[in-house]
Amino acid sequence: MTHTYRIADDVAWVSQEDLDADGEPTAYLTRVPRGMPIMLEGSGCLVWLALADGGTLEEVTAAAAAMSDAAVDDIRDDVAELVDQLVVIGVVRED
């Protein structure tokens, strides 16, 4: 069975492109109403943006690779590790 991933319903977030298009990609997120603020920079932000559209791990990895001009095979393990961590802390849901 293939799992799909999506941002949890109780997460509020904004990315730097909404705030300031200059500099390194950054996303700020928190679980509402009492979550700890989390900041994802660089490639972590790109994975988060890929998760915004939801999808399988392969789809999320491909979207992050496209945004970063990286090869899917080069980032697959890192994306999987970050997605797993985001699931554990509850900001991403695995369906």
Side-chain angles (χ1 to χ4, degrees):
M1 182 174 151
T2 301
H3 296 282
T4 58
Y5 299 89
R6 63 181 177 81
I7 295 172
D9 294 336
D10 63 346
V11 172
W13 66 279
V14 64
S15 66
Q16 185 180 29
E17 64 189 21
D18 296 326
L19 302 172
D20 177 4
D22 296 329
E24 184 172 36
T26 306
Y28 305 90
L29 53 132
T30 190
R31 291 182 72 185
V32 177
R34 293 185 191 91
M36 295 293 297
I38 299 167
M39 180 175 68
L40 297 172
E41 293 182 294
S43 58
C45 176
L46 299 181
V47 171
W48 183 259
L49 294 174
L51 284 162
D53 291 331
T56 64
L57 186 57
E58 194 61 31
E59 290 167 338
V60 170
T61 303
M67 285 186 266
S68 65
D69 294 326
V72 170
D73 289 340
D74 291 344
I75 67 168
R76 181 176 281 114
D77 292 343
D78 291 335
V79 171
E81 183 178 332
L82 178 57
V83 170
D84 284 345
Q85 291 173 357
L86 295 172
V87 168
V88 167
I89 62 174
V91 295
V92 168
R93 297 282 185 246
E94 180 179 12
D95 297 323

